Amino acid sequence: MPPAQPQPPTPAVMSIAFDLVFRKGRSPPSCPSLDNVDLLNRIRDKVQNESPAMCRDALIRIQRLSHDVYDVCNAFREGEYGSGDAAMETALDLLKKKCPGLSDEEYRTAFAVGMMWTAF
């Protein structure tokens, strides 16, 4: 019998990882921030009933989103998605496809933070 596949991160675990990277970090992915061990420990402290693998998966997904949001926001600034509200919705849809499992508010926050990161 093949080994059981790990469960994908729950929305709660994804939100905790998101908060640590996008709301508390507030630095582009290229800047030094908390190391992965510290971030993982902080996630695990908040969701003690979830597996370490699930917490690690959530952190990896959110860190990947932090890199994706940087690229998406750069493309947005260059006009690659058009202009106006439709362009922003296109960018948000792309982020949702790249990293499913977050709330609309979290995608909008990620986009806003990415726009701040790419302004420098």
Side-chain angles (χ1 to χ4, degrees):
M1 184 192 265
Q5 292 293 326
Q7 289 185 325
T10 64
V13 175
M14 290 288 286
S15 288
I16 290 166
F18 180 89
D19 284 343
L20 288 171
V21 172
F22 281 95
R23 291 196 173 114
K24 296 195 175 30
R26 295 288 185 185
S27 61
S30 61
C31 294
S33 62
L34 300 172
D35 68 13
N36 286 348
V37 172
D38 189 36
L39 286 169
L40 187 56
N41 285 337
R42 288 178 186 216
I43 295 167
R44 292 193 61 209
D45 285 346
K46 292 179 185 279
V47 290
Q48 296 173 0
N49 295 330
E50 302 297 354
S51 73
M54 181 185 290
C55 296
R56 188 173 41 258
D57 187 23
L59 179 58
I60 290 167
R61 288 178 188 211
I62 296 301
Q63 287 176 324
R64 190 175 310 127
L65 175 64
S66 75
H67 291 278
D68 290 340
V69 79
Y70 197 86
D71 294 338
V72 167
C73 288
N74 266 333
F76 178 84
R77 285 185 182 282
E78 297 291 323
E80 290 183 31
Y81 307 124
S83 62
D85 290 342
M88 187 168 115
E89 291 305 317
T90 299
L92 290 170
D93 286 344
L94 184 56
L95 292 176
K96 290 175 185 177
K97 287 177 185 169
K98 289 179 172 278
C99 184
L102 298 171
S103 70
D104 286 344
E105 177 195 344
E106 287 167 326
Y107 291 114
R108 290 186 182 284
T109 298
F111 182 79
V113 171
M115 291 300 286
M116 182 178 65
W117 289 344
T118 58
F120 298 105

